[in-house]
Amino acid sequence: MGKKTAAVDIGASSGKMALGVYDGRKLSVEEYRDFPNRPVDIGTALYWDLFALYHSIVDGLAYFTGKYGDPDTLGIDTWGASYGLLDRQGRLLEPVYHYRDQRTSAVLQDMERVMDRKELFFLTGCQCNRTYTLPQLYSYVTEQNPILQNADTMLLLPDLLGYFLTGEKTSEMTIAGTSCLMETTQEEWSREVAARFSIPDRIYTKIIDPGTVKGILSDRVKVETGSRQTKLIAAVGHDTASAVAAIPGFGPEKLYISVGTNINMGVEREQVFVNDTAYRKGLKNTGGISRRKIVYRDFSACWHINEYMRTKKEQGQTLTHEEMICMAREVKEQVPWFDVEADLFVDAGGDFCEKMNLYFKKTGQRELSEDGEFIRSIYESIALKTRYYGAAFGEAGLNFREINVISGGTRNELLMQLISNAFGSAVLAGMPYATLYGNLLTQLYGTGEVASVEEMRELSAYSFAMKAYEPEERQKWQELYEKYKGIMEKGKNLQI
């Protein structure tokens, strides 16, 4: 049947597994398997349901093994920053916190008393918000919570799940880069940052490159899954970096835009990009495959679509993504926009339509009442924000001549067209499962089936398709973009 690889990709709202087969020429996905990722809100704290995720992986591996035989390898990638703390016996000390848990709501201000944001950027290459690992860990310090004194090991989420499967405690380089705990090189932990923020650096584990063999499944997991020969490979653990690894022909002077719950967009370089201009533009650095560096900007995207769907469901109306796209296509009148990064939209809950209208009112725009207009506003606001940050890359000297849009959001062809319109440039879009593909390809890279990142991306081009979108009404969209920048300026530091 060829080389069998199993990939696990867990996003903030759902997870997916895939069974890939490489025949020496082409990588084919035999089957996908979905599972939910439902956060647990107990009123006093918001957690990820870690054990449900673990069981989904074990169940999926057992299913693939029963149907196709033992996968040769398995890899796990997840969103960034979430972690677990283990004691000396290897036991989990507490549930895994959701990165939107309110315990970090004021921690950035506390952090600035220790180190200003610019100094932190030059030490780590990161410009962290409260969802990063560093602010989460520092919240224990400000609360005088003794858990860090009791902790022996910290593992970020894909490594934590890998530990459950194999007993091995190592930290994959790209997921560690989402923590704001690394040196600027994105290759080693920053001992200075740990010391300054009173985080015991004994909790850090050895950093390994993506493609490294982590270990074999434990005897217990072998019994549960029937997988006797499967090796766990350190995939590109950060989901976005995994997706970037899979982009056909990607390289210098190309921009990627990964569209999911958040948008992560950026460029790939040999070295990090750390200077005053990068700091002013809000750019960040993280590691990629084969020690390449990703300079990026991220912000909420489909999070807003999900919040709109949640609001309508609470009001008794269940909408599908297909229905929403159709409604948005029918809108002919120009809609108002909102800043997808505005503080008003950060936290889950509440009436999302009311939040949008409040923003519109405060920025001198018309309020909305029709579903289609609300949805169109969300789509256009996302598209215009990508143009805004695309311009920031250019202003920083990180020029690009090609735009690649990847990940789940590419299923929304209207949104892809709007992104092309906003940039006034052609885009190549596709690979809704880009993260899974990068995971599978990295396993082939790690076992020597492909010899280089370039070969990985050639194999991806041969195996998976991209679609070209050409911009429409360039002059109109340039005028709309200028108006959008004015709305952004009005909404800056808006007190609501």
Side-chain angles (χ1 to χ4, degrees):
M1 190 177 185
K3 185 84 172 181
K4 297 191 293 294
T5 55
V8 180
D9 168 41
I10 309 177
S13 56
S14 64
K16 187 175 291 290
M17 293 183 68
L19 193 285
V21 175
Y22 177 55
D23 63 6
R25 296 177 60 251
K26 183 177 181 180
L27 175 62
S28 302
V29 177
E30 295 295 312
E31 190 168 349
Y32 298 99
R33 181 179 172 91
D34 297 313
F35 55 90
N37 181 11
R38 295 177 57 197
V40 180
D41 187 347
I42 63 169
T44 56
L46 183 63
Y47 298 114
W48 298 108
D49 193 347
L50 177 68
F51 302 116
L53 297 177
Y54 170 74
H55 281 135
S56 294
I57 294 171
V58 170
D59 291 346
L61 185 56
Y63 172 79
F64 286 149
T65 300
K67 188 169 182 178
Y68 302 99
D70 281 19
D72 295 285
T73 57
L74 170 71
I76 303 171
D77 68 77
T78 74
W79 70 90
S82 293
Y83 63 90
L85 296 174
L86 305 176
D87 67 12
R88 290 181 181 178
Q89 285 73 43
R91 299 172 300 202
L92 197 64
L93 283 169
E94 64 179 1
V96 174
Y97 276 102
H98 194 292
Y99 53 66
R100 294 186 187 272
D101 180 75
Q102 288 299 305
R103 78 197 192 287
T104 59
S105 58
V107 74
L108 293 180
Q109 292 87 338
D110 295 328
M111 287 173 60
E112 288 206 59
R113 298 188 187 100
V114 177
M115 183 186 298
D116 70 44
R117 297 188 186 196
K118 189 172 184 179
E119 183 183 4
L120 183 61
F121 172 69
F122 277 89
L123 278 173
T124 66
C126 292
Q127 302 201 47
C128 69
N129 55 41
R130 71 181 183 89
T131 65
Y132 280 60
T133 313
L134 172 59
Q136 294 186 66
L137 294 179
Y138 190 62
S139 70
Y140 299 128
V141 177
T142 61
E143 293 174 356
Q144 297 183 318
N145 185 326
I147 194 167
L148 287 179
Q149 280 64 56
N150 296 324
D152 180 72
T153 306
M154 179 194 73
L155 292 173
L156 290 149
L157 189 57
D159 298 311
L160 180 63
L161 292 165
Y163 162 69
F164 289 169
L165 293 170
T166 66
E168 296 295 326
K169 301 175 185 175
T170 52
S171 297
E172 187 275 325
M173 188 175 293
T174 68
I175 197 68
T178 69
S179 65
C180 202
L181 296 166
M182 299 274 280
E183 292 180 353
T184 310
T185 62
Q186 299 300 309
E187 295 180 8
E188 296 292 343
W189 299 111
S190 171
R191 305 295 172 176
E192 182 174 350
V193 168
R196 295 274 292 275
F197 286 98
S198 303
I199 296 167
D201 61 12
R202 69 170 184 279
I203 67 176
Y204 299 156
T205 66
K206 178 184 177 182
I207 293 174
I208 59 173
D209 286 277
T212 303
V213 177
K214 270 184 169 280
I216 60 174
L217 302 178
S218 69
D219 290 342
R220 170 183 46 78
V221 175
K222 287 178 180 178
V223 170
E224 286 188 81
T225 63
S227 304
R228 301 290 177 177
Q229 307 299 323
T230 304
K231 295 178 181 178
L232 181 67
I233 303 288
V236 178
H238 180 203
D239 51 7
T240 298
S242 180
V244 172
I247 300 173
F250 195 69
E253 295 189 11
K254 297 184 180 182
L255 177 78
Y256 76 85
I257 304 173
S258 179
V259 184
T261 303
N262 295 327
I263 277 180
N264 184 305
M265 57 187 289
V267 297
E268 186 178 78
R269 290 166 46 90
E270 292 299 319
Q271 302 294 329
V272 295
F273 189 70
V274 179
N275 54 35
D276 287 337
T277 302
Y279 177 73
R280 289 196 306 273
K281 298 297 181 183
L283 304 183
K284 311 173 185 182
N285 296 267
T286 191
I289 192 165
S290 191
R291 301 210 173 188
R292 301 180 188 199
K293 313 305 176 189
I294 297 172
V295 185
Y296 72 101
R297 194 65 164 79
D298 54 352
F299 54 91
S300 295
C302 296
W303 158 261
H304 302 292
I305 297 169
N306 294 340
E307 281 293 281
Y308 182 82
M309 295 175 77
R310 175 195 56 76
T311 294
K312 301 308 291 186
K313 187 173 183 179
E314 290 174 356
Q315 295 171 354
Q317 183 181 5
T318 299
L319 296 171
T320 66
H321 287 285
E322 291 76 14
E323 290 169 337
M324 293 172 67
I325 292 168
C326 288
M327 287 188 282
R329 286 188 185 279
E330 295 299 316
V331 174
K332 304 305 179 186
E333 188 174 354
Q334 184 57 54
V335 294
W337 307 295
F338 64 98
D339 181 357
V340 295
E341 293 185 285
D343 289 344
L344 178 63
F345 305 104
V346 168
D347 294 324
D351 188 316
F352 195 74
C353 299
E354 287 185 0
K355 292 181 181 181
M356 289 177 67
N357 274 332
L358 182 56
Y359 186 94
F360 299 150
K361 182 179 180 180
K362 293 287 186 178
T363 53
Q365 302 180 87
R366 70 182 179 93
E367 297 178 47
L368 301 179
S369 60
E370 299 298 321
D371 285 336
E373 289 191 318
F374 279 114
I375 299 162
R376 181 86 184 198
S377 173
I378 296 171
Y379 293 161
E380 290 194 8
S381 295
I382 292 170
L384 288 163
K385 193 71 171 188
T386 63
R387 166 68 189 277
Y388 179 81
Y389 281 127
F393 279 97
E395 291 163 12
L398 298 171
N399 298 309
F400 52 89
R401 54 183 171 76
E402 181 179 295
I403 302 169
N404 297 267
V405 189
I406 53 172
S407 302
T410 60
R411 295 188 188 92
N412 185 334
E413 294 192 352
L414 174 59
L415 180 57
M416 297 304 99
Q417 186 62 59
L418 292 173
I419 290 174
S420 177
N421 293 350
F423 273 92
S425 177
V427 304
L428 291 171
M431 299 178 66
Y433 302 128
T435 300
L436 278 170
Y437 300 157
N439 187 323
L440 295 168
L441 288 162
T442 301
Q443 294 177 58
L444 296 175
Y445 172 71
T447 54
E449 298 292 329
V450 294
S452 66
V453 177
E454 287 71 28
E455 284 191 19
M456 279 177 55
R457 288 169 170 164
E458 288 175 10
L459 177 56
S460 180
Y462 186 73
S463 303
F464 309 112
M466 300 281 276
K467 177 180 177 180
Y469 291 82
E470 295 292 335
E472 301 170 344
E473 302 179 287
R474 291 175 188 260
Q475 183 59 40
K476 171 190 170 183
W477 275 90
Q478 178 58 36
E479 293 171 0
L480 292 179
Y481 175 62
E482 294 301 324
K483 291 180 181 178
Y484 170 77
K485 288 195 293 183
I487 295 300
M488 288 271 293
E489 192 62 33
K490 286 183 180 179
K492 191 180 295 184
N493 302 318
L494 196 62
Q495 299 297 316
I496 298 179

